[in-house]
PDB file of all heavy atoms in Angstrom:
ATOM      1  N   ASP A   1      47.156 215.141  60.426  1.00 77.00           N
ATOM      2  CA  ASP A   1      48.327 214.502  59.846  1.00 77.00           C
ATOM      3  C   ASP A   1      47.949 213.700  58.604  1.00 77.00           C
ATOM      4  O   ASP A   1      48.700 213.648  57.629  1.00 77.00           O
ATOM      5  CB  ASP A   1      49.073 213.641  60.872  1.00 77.00           C
ATOM      6  CG  ASP A   1      48.270 212.459  61.360  1.00 77.00           C
ATOM      7  OD1 ASP A   1      47.071 212.634  61.610  1.00 77.00           O
ATOM      8  OD2 ASP A   1      48.852 211.359  61.492  1.00 77.00           O
ATOM      9  N   GLU A   2      46.742 213.102  58.593  1.00 87.00           N
ATOM     10  CA  GLU A   2      46.246 212.429  57.390  1.00 87.00           C
ATOM     11  C   GLU A   2      46.035 213.445  56.274  1.00 87.00           C
ATOM     12  O   GLU A   2      46.348 213.192  55.107  1.00 87.00           O
ATOM     13  CB  GLU A   2      44.937 211.706  57.697  1.00 87.00           C
ATOM     14  CG  GLU A   2      44.196 211.162  56.481  1.00 87.00           C
ATOM     15  CD  GLU A   2      44.935 210.027  55.782  1.00 87.00           C
ATOM     16  OE1 GLU A   2      45.851 209.437  56.388  1.00 87.00           O
ATOM     17  OE2 GLU A   2      44.594 209.748  54.618  1.00 87.00           O
ATOM     18  N   ALA A   3      45.513 214.622  56.630  1.00 90.00           N
ATOM     19  CA  ALA A   3      45.315 215.682  55.644  1.00 90.00           C
ATOM     20  C   ALA A   3      46.649 216.127  55.055  1.00 90.00           C
ATOM     21  O   ALA A   3      46.764 216.354  53.843  1.00 90.00           O
ATOM     22  CB  ALA A   3      44.596 216.868  56.286  1.00 90.00           C
ATOM     23  N   ARG A   4      47.657 216.227  55.906  1.00 86.00           N
ATOM     24  CA  ARG A   4      49.001 216.598  55.425  1.00 86.00           C
ATOM     25  C   ARG A   4      49.504 215.598  54.392  1.00 86.00           C
ATOM     26  O   ARG A   4      50.005 215.974  53.326  1.00 86.00           O
ATOM     27  CB  ARG A   4      49.994 216.631  56.603  1.00 86.00           C
ATOM     28  CG  ARG A   4      50.172 217.955  57.284  1.00 86.00           C
ATOM     29  CD  ARG A   4      51.130 217.821  58.459  1.00 86.00           C
ATOM     30  NE  ARG A   4      52.377 217.152  58.059  1.00 86.00           N
ATOM     31  CZ  ARG A   4      53.428 217.787  57.563  1.00 86.00           C
ATOM     32  NH1 ARG A   4      53.387 219.091  57.389  1.00 86.00           N
ATOM     33  NH2 ARG A   4      54.527 217.131  57.241  1.00 86.00           N
ATOM     34  N   ARG A   5      49.367 214.310  54.710  1.00 89.00           N
ATOM     35  CA  ARG A   5      49.851 213.273  53.792  1.00 89.00           C
ATOM     36  C   ARG A   5      49.081 213.318  52.471  1.00 89.00           C
ATOM     37  O   ARG A   5      49.667 213.167  51.398  1.00 89.00           O
ATOM     38  CB  ARG A   5      49.714 211.894  54.444  1.00 89.00           C
ATOM     39  CG  ARG A   5      50.691 211.629  55.569  1.00 89.00           C
ATOM     40  CD  ARG A   5      50.713 210.150  55.950  1.00 89.00           C
ATOM     41  NE  ARG A   5      49.452 209.729  56.549  1.00 89.00           N
ATOM     42  CZ  ARG A   5      49.218 209.730  57.847  1.00 89.00           C
ATOM     43  NH1 ARG A   5      50.150 210.161  58.681  1.00 89.00           N
ATOM     44  NH2 ARG A   5      48.059 209.314  58.322  1.00 89.00           N
ATOM     45  N   THR A   6      47.780 213.531  52.569  1.00 93.00           N
ATOM     46  CA  THR A   6      46.940 213.581  51.371  1.00 93.00           C
ATOM     47  C   THR A   6      47.337 214.747  50.477  1.00 93.00           C
ATOM     48  O   THR A   6      47.458 214.604  49.257  1.00 93.00           O
ATOM     49  CB  THR A   6      45.455 213.702  51.766  1.00 93.00           C
ATOM     50  OG1 THR A   6      45.096 212.582  52.579  1.00 93.00           O
ATOM     51  CG2 THR A   6      44.566 213.741  50.539  1.00 93.00           C
ATOM     52  N   MET A   7      47.527 215.902  51.082  1.00 94.00           N
ATOM     53  CA  MET A   7      47.886 217.092  50.302  1.00 94.00           C
ATOM     54  C   MET A   7      49.292 216.962  49.704  1.00 94.00           C
ATOM     55  O   MET A   7      49.530 217.368  48.568  1.00 94.00           O
ATOM     56  CB  MET A   7      47.806 218.342  51.188  1.00 94.00           C
ATOM     57  CG  MET A   7      46.401 218.691  51.632  1.00 94.00           C
ATOM     58  SD  MET A   7      45.250 218.987  50.255  1.00 94.00           S
ATOM     59  CE  MET A   7      44.299 217.460  50.269  1.00 94.00           C
ATOM     60  N   LYS A   8      50.193 216.396  50.475  1.00 91.00           N
ATOM     61  CA  LYS A   8      51.562 216.209  49.979  1.00 91.00           C
ATOM     62  C   LYS A   8      51.565 215.290  48.768  1.00 91.00           C
ATOM     63  O   LYS A   8      52.240 215.561  47.768  1.00 91.00           O
ATOM     64  CB  LYS A   8      52.437 215.639  51.096  1.00 91.00           C
ATOM     65  CG  LYS A   8      53.914 215.582  50.782  1.00 91.00           C
ATOM     66  CD  LYS A   8      54.705 215.115  52.001  1.00 91.00           C
ATOM     67  CE  LYS A   8      56.204 215.068  51.717  1.00 91.00           C
ATOM     68  NZ  LYS A   8      56.969 214.610  52.908  1.00 91.00           N
ATOM     69  N   ALA A   9      50.777 214.219  48.844  1.00 92.00           N
ATOM     70  CA  ALA A   9      50.691 213.276  47.725  1.00 92.00           C
ATOM     71  C   ALA A   9      50.049 213.914  46.490  1.00 92.00           C
ATOM     72  O   ALA A   9      50.374 213.557  45.355  1.00 92.00           O
ATOM     73  CB  ALA A   9      49.893 212.045  48.148  1.00 92.00           C
ATOM     74  N   ALA A  10      49.164 214.884  46.725  1.00 93.00           N
ATOM     75  CA  ALA A  10      48.474 215.545  45.615  1.00 93.00           C
ATOM     76  C   ALA A  10      49.312 216.640  44.970  1.00 93.00           C
ATOM     77  O   ALA A  10      48.939 217.170  43.923  1.00 93.00           O
ATOM     78  CB  ALA A  10      47.155 216.136  46.108  1.00 93.00           C
ATOM     79  N   GLY A  11      50.431 216.996  45.599  1.00 94.00           N
ATOM     80  CA  GLY A  11      51.283 218.036  45.043  1.00 94.00           C
ATOM     81  C   GLY A  11      51.033 219.417  45.619  1.00 94.00           C
ATOM     82  O   GLY A  11      51.542 220.414  45.110  1.00 94.00           O
ATOM     83  N   VAL A  12      50.263 219.487  46.712  1.00 95.00           N
ATOM     84  CA  VAL A  12      50.042 220.760  47.406  1.00 95.00           C
ATOM     85  C   VAL A  12      51.182 220.951  48.403  1.00 95.00           C
ATOM     86  O   VAL A  12      51.469 220.050  49.188  1.00 95.00           O
ATOM     87  CB  VAL A  12      48.681 220.757  48.140  1.00 95.00           C
ATOM     88  CG1 VAL A  12      48.481 222.055  48.919  1.00 95.00           C
ATOM     89  CG2 VAL A  12      47.537 220.547  47.151  1.00 95.00           C
ATOM     90  N   PRO A  13      51.869 222.106  48.398  1.00 95.00           N
ATOM     91  CA  PRO A  13      53.016 222.287  49.299  1.00 95.00           C
ATOM     92  C   PRO A  13      52.607 222.247  50.764  1.00 95.00           C
ATOM     93  O   PRO A  13      51.589 222.831  51.160  1.00 95.00           O
ATOM     94  CB  PRO A  13      53.553 223.674  48.909  1.00 95.00           C
ATOM     95  CG  PRO A  13      52.454 224.349  48.173  1.00 95.00           C
ATOM     96  CD  PRO A  13      51.654 223.272  47.522  1.00 95.00           C
ATOM     97  N   VAL A  14      53.381 221.531  51.574  1.00 92.00           N
ATOM     98  CA  VAL A  14      53.107 221.435  53.009  1.00 92.00           C
ATOM     99  C   VAL A  14      54.352 221.854  53.790  1.00 92.00           C
ATOM    100  O   VAL A  14      55.472 221.796  53.279  1.00 92.00           O
ATOM    101  CB  VAL A  14      52.693 220.001  53.419  1.00 92.00           C
ATOM    102  CG1 VAL A  14      51.429 219.574  52.688  1.00 92.00           C
ATOM    103  CG2 VAL A  14      53.820 219.011  53.167  1.00 92.00           C
ATOM    104  N   VAL A  15      54.156 222.265  55.036  1.00 87.00           N
ATOM    105  CA  VAL A  15      55.270 222.645  55.894  1.00 87.00           C
ATOM    106  C   VAL A  15      56.085 221.392  56.218  1.00 87.00           C
ATOM    107  O   VAL A  15      55.510 220.339  56.506  1.00 87.00           O
ATOM    108  CB  VAL A  15      54.748 223.276  57.205  1.00 87.00           C
ATOM    109  CG1 VAL A  15      55.909 223.669  58.115  1.00 87.00           C
ATOM    110  CG2 VAL A  15      53.886 224.491  56.899  1.00 87.00           C
ATOM    111  N   PRO A  16      57.423 221.477  56.187  1.00 85.00           N
ATOM    112  CA  PRO A  16      58.235 220.316  56.567  1.00 85.00           C
ATOM    113  C   PRO A  16      57.852 219.834  57.960  1.00 85.00           C
ATOM    114  O   PRO A  16      57.694 220.636  58.889  1.00 85.00           O
ATOM    115  CB  PRO A  16      59.666 220.867  56.545  1.00 85.00           C
ATOM    116  CG  PRO A  16      59.611 222.039  55.619  1.00 85.00           C
ATOM    117  CD  PRO A  16      58.251 222.625  55.791  1.00 85.00           C
ATOM    118  N   GLY A  17      57.672 218.516  58.090  1.00 84.00           N
ATOM    119  CA  GLY A  17      57.258 218.013  59.393  1.00 84.00           C
ATOM    120  C   GLY A  17      57.178 216.508  59.446  1.00 84.00           C
ATOM    121  O   GLY A  17      57.536 215.800  58.500  1.00 84.00           O
ATOM    122  N   LEU A  18      56.686 216.020  60.579  1.00 84.00           N
ATOM    123  CA  LEU A  18      56.533 214.597  60.844  1.00 84.00           C
ATOM    124  C   LEU A  18      55.044 214.319  60.964  1.00 84.00           C
ATOM    125  O   LEU A  18      54.356 214.930  61.780  1.00 84.00           O
ATOM    126  CB  LEU A  18      57.252 214.239  62.149  1.00 84.00           C
ATOM    127  CG  LEU A  18      57.463 212.766  62.494  1.00 84.00           C
ATOM    128  CD1 LEU A  18      58.374 212.097  61.468  1.00 84.00           C
ATOM    129  CD2 LEU A  18      58.063 212.660  63.900  1.00 84.00           C
ATOM    130  N   ASP A  19      54.538 213.398  60.143  1.00 78.00           N
ATOM    131  CA  ASP A  19      53.099 213.191  60.046  1.00 78.00           C
ATOM    132  C   ASP A  19      52.453 212.734  61.346  1.00 78.00           C
ATOM    133  O   ASP A  19      51.316 213.083  61.640  1.00 78.00           O
ATOM    134  CB  ASP A  19      52.778 212.176  58.940  1.00 78.00           C
ATOM    135  CG  ASP A  19      53.079 212.741  57.558  1.00 78.00           C
ATOM    136  OD1 ASP A  19      53.044 213.967  57.419  1.00 78.00           O
ATOM    137  OD2 ASP A  19      53.341 211.951  56.637  1.00 78.00           O
ATOM    138  N   GLU A  20      53.154 211.968  62.154  1.00 85.00           N
ATOM    139  CA  GLU A  20      52.588 211.536  63.429  1.00 85.00           C
ATOM    140  C   GLU A  20      53.715 211.257  64.418  1.00 85.00           C
ATOM    141  O   GLU A  20      54.729 210.653  64.063  1.00 85.00           O
ATOM    142  CB  GLU A  20      51.732 210.278  63.260  1.00 85.00           C
ATOM    143  CG  GLU A  20      51.083 209.806  64.552  1.00 85.00           C
ATOM    144  CD  GLU A  20      50.219 208.559  64.363  1.00 85.00           C
ATOM    145  OE1 GLU A  20      50.029 208.123  63.217  1.00 85.00           O
ATOM    146  OE2 GLU A  20      49.748 208.023  65.382  1.00 85.00           O
ATOM    147  N   ILE A  21      53.551 211.711  65.643  1.00 90.00           N
ATOM    148  CA  ILE A  21      54.543 211.462  66.692  1.00 90.00           C
ATOM    149  C   ILE A  21      54.201 210.146  67.377  1.00 90.00           C
ATOM    150  O   ILE A  21      53.231 210.066  68.143  1.00 90.00           O
ATOM    151  CB  ILE A  21      54.574 212.610  67.717  1.00 90.00           C
ATOM    152  CG1 ILE A  21      54.952 213.927  67.024  1.00 90.00           C
ATOM    153  CG2 ILE A  21      55.564 212.296  68.839  1.00 90.00           C
ATOM    154  CD1 ILE A  21      54.873 215.141  67.934  1.00 90.00           C
ATOM    155  N   THR A  22      54.968 209.112  67.076  1.00 89.00           N
ATOM    156  CA  THR A  22      54.742 207.802  67.692  1.00 89.00           C
ATOM    157  C   THR A  22      55.892 207.418  68.617  1.00 89.00           C
ATOM    158  O   THR A  22      55.743 206.560  69.484  1.00 89.00           O
ATOM    159  CB  THR A  22      54.581 206.714  66.611  1.00 89.00           C
ATOM    160  OG1 THR A  22      55.738 206.732  65.756  1.00 89.00           O
ATOM    161  CG2 THR A  22      53.334 206.974  65.768  1.00 89.00           C
ATOM    162  N   ASP A  23      57.025 208.051  68.411  1.00 89.00           N
ATOM    163  CA  ASP A  23      58.214 207.750  69.210  1.00 89.00           C
ATOM    164  C   ASP A  23      58.870 209.080  69.583  1.00 89.00           C
ATOM    165  O   ASP A  23      59.326 209.817  68.701  1.00 89.00           O
ATOM    166  CB  ASP A  23      59.176 206.870  68.405  1.00 89.00           C
ATOM    167  CG  ASP A  23      60.415 206.484  69.195  1.00 89.00           C
ATOM    168  OD1 ASP A  23      61.252 207.362  69.450  1.00 89.00           O
ATOM    169  OD2 ASP A  23      60.537 205.288  69.541  1.00 89.00           O
ATOM    170  N   ILE A  24      58.926 209.395  70.868  1.00 90.00           N
ATOM    171  CA  ILE A  24      59.441 210.684  71.321  1.00 90.00           C
ATOM    172  C   ILE A  24      60.890 210.885  70.892  1.00 90.00           C
ATOM    173  O   ILE A  24      61.275 211.957  70.413  1.00 90.00           O
ATOM    174  CB  ILE A  24      59.322 210.811  72.857  1.00 90.00           C
ATOM    175  CG1 ILE A  24      57.854 210.928  73.270  1.00 90.00           C
ATOM    176  CG2 ILE A  24      60.104 212.027  73.356  1.00 90.00           C
ATOM    177  CD1 ILE A  24      57.205 212.241  72.895  1.00 90.00           C
ATOM    178  N   ALA A  25      61.712 209.857  71.058  1.00 89.00           N
ATOM    179  CA  ALA A  25      63.134 209.985  70.724  1.00 89.00           C
ATOM    180  C   ALA A  25      63.320 210.261  69.227  1.00 89.00           C
ATOM    181  O   ALA A  25      64.105 211.131  68.838  1.00 89.00           O
ATOM    182  CB  ALA A  25      63.885 208.722  71.131  1.00 89.00           C
ATOM    183  N   ALA A  26      62.590 209.528  68.399  1.00 90.00           N
ATOM    184  CA  ALA A  26      62.696 209.727  66.953  1.00 90.00           C
ATOM    185  C   ALA A  26      62.176 211.103  66.560  1.00 90.00           C
ATOM    186  O   ALA A  26      62.744 211.773  65.687  1.00 90.00           O
ATOM    187  CB  ALA A  26      61.906 208.637  66.217  1.00 90.00           C
ATOM    188  N   ALA A  27      61.098 211.534  67.188  1.00 91.00           N
ATOM    189  CA  ALA A  27      60.535 212.849  66.890  1.00 91.00           C
ATOM    190  C   ALA A  27      61.495 213.961  67.308  1.00 91.00           C
ATOM    191  O   ALA A  27      61.654 214.966  66.599  1.00 91.00           O
ATOM    192  CB  ALA A  27      59.187 213.018  67.585  1.00 91.00           C
ATOM    193  N   LYS A  28      62.146 213.762  68.456  1.00 90.00           N
ATOM    194  CA  LYS A  28      63.112 214.758  68.925  1.00 90.00           C
ATOM    195  C   LYS A  28      64.308 214.854  67.974  1.00 90.00           C
ATOM    196  O   LYS A  28      64.802 215.958  67.673  1.00 90.00           O
ATOM    197  CB  LYS A  28      63.591 214.394  70.342  1.00 90.00           C
ATOM    198  CG  LYS A  28      64.486 215.450  70.966  1.00 90.00           C
ATOM    199  CD  LYS A  28      65.010 215.020  72.323  1.00 90.00           C
ATOM    200  CE  LYS A  28      63.911 214.994  73.360  1.00 90.00           C
ATOM    201  NZ  LYS A  28      64.461 214.744  74.730  1.00 90.00           N
ATOM    202  N   LYS A  29      64.721 213.725  67.453  1.00 90.00           N
ATOM    203  CA  LYS A  29      65.825 213.713  66.482  1.00 90.00           C
ATOM    204  C   LYS A  29      65.416 214.435  65.207  1.00 90.00           C
ATOM    205  O   LYS A  29      66.190 215.221  64.641  1.00 90.00           O
ATOM    206  CB  LYS A  29      66.220 212.266  66.168  1.00 90.00           C
ATOM    207  CG  LYS A  29      67.366 212.146  65.178  1.00 90.00           C
ATOM    208  CD  LYS A  29      67.700 210.685  64.876  1.00 90.00           C
ATOM    209  CE  LYS A  29      68.810 210.589  63.833  1.00 90.00           C
ATOM    210  NZ  LYS A  29      69.101 209.181  63.478  1.00 90.00           N
ATOM    211  N   PHE A  30      64.174 214.191  64.759  1.00 90.00           N
ATOM    212  CA  PHE A  30      63.677 214.857  63.550  1.00 90.00           C
ATOM    213  C   PHE A  30      63.603 216.367  63.769  1.00 90.00           C
ATOM    214  O   PHE A  30      63.959 217.154  62.883  1.00 90.00           O
ATOM    215  CB  PHE A  30      62.304 214.308  63.175  1.00 90.00           C
ATOM    216  CG  PHE A  30      61.727 214.913  61.933  1.00 90.00           C
ATOM    217  CD1 PHE A  30      62.077 214.429  60.681  1.00 90.00           C
ATOM    218  CD2 PHE A  30      60.837 215.975  62.002  1.00 90.00           C
ATOM    219  CE1 PHE A  30      61.556 214.986  59.526  1.00 90.00           C
ATOM    220  CE2 PHE A  30      60.302 216.547  60.855  1.00 90.00           C
ATOM    221  CZ  PHE A  30      60.662 216.045  59.614  1.00 90.00           C
ATOM    222  N   ALA A  31      63.152 216.792  64.954  1.00 91.00           N
ATOM    223  CA  ALA A  31      63.056 218.219  65.264  1.00 91.00           C
ATOM    224  C   ALA A  31      64.429 218.879  65.196  1.00 91.00           C
ATOM    225  O   ALA A  31      64.570 220.005  64.698  1.00 91.00           O
ATOM    226  CB  ALA A  31      62.439 218.408  66.649  1.00 91.00           C
ATOM    227  N   ALA A  32      65.430 218.185  65.687  1.00 91.00           N
ATOM    228  CA  ALA A  32      66.788 218.730  65.639  1.00 91.00           C
ATOM    229  C   ALA A  32      67.271 218.864  64.203  1.00 91.00           C
ATOM    230  O   ALA A  32      67.985 219.817  63.855  1.00 91.00           O
ATOM    231  CB  ALA A  32      67.733 217.836  66.436  1.00 91.00           C
ATOM    232  N   GLU A  33      66.858 217.935  63.340  1.00 88.00           N
ATOM    233  CA  GLU A  33      67.284 217.961  61.936  1.00 88.00           C
ATOM    234  C   GLU A  33      66.664 219.135  61.170  1.00 88.00           C
ATOM    235  O   GLU A  33      67.343 219.780  60.366  1.00 88.00           O
ATOM    236  CB  GLU A  33      66.915 216.642  61.260  1.00 88.00           C
ATOM    237  CG  GLU A  33      67.746 215.458  61.737  1.00 88.00           C
ATOM    238  CD  GLU A  33      67.240 214.135  61.189  1.00 88.00           C
ATOM    239  OE1 GLU A  33      66.201 214.134  60.499  1.00 88.00           O
ATOM    240  OE2 GLU A  33      67.884 213.093  61.461  1.00 88.00           O
TER     241      GLU A  33
END
């Protein structure tokens, strides 16, 4: 997930996603979106 953030900041395309799952409810909401 750190690698994802680093690459995204550098302008390398990354798959849409959530960098770290810290809250199940919030992650589930993001997955639905």
Side-chain angles (χ1 to χ4, degrees):
D1 65 318
E2 170 67 17
R4 268 178 51 87
R5 288 193 293 267
T6 301
M7 293 301 104
K8 188 175 181 180
V12 177
V14 300
V15 180
L18 192 64
D19 291 334
E20 182 179 354
I21 299 174
T22 56
D23 182 290
I24 291 290
K28 186 184 290 187
K29 180 181 177 183
F30 181 84
E33 290 172 356

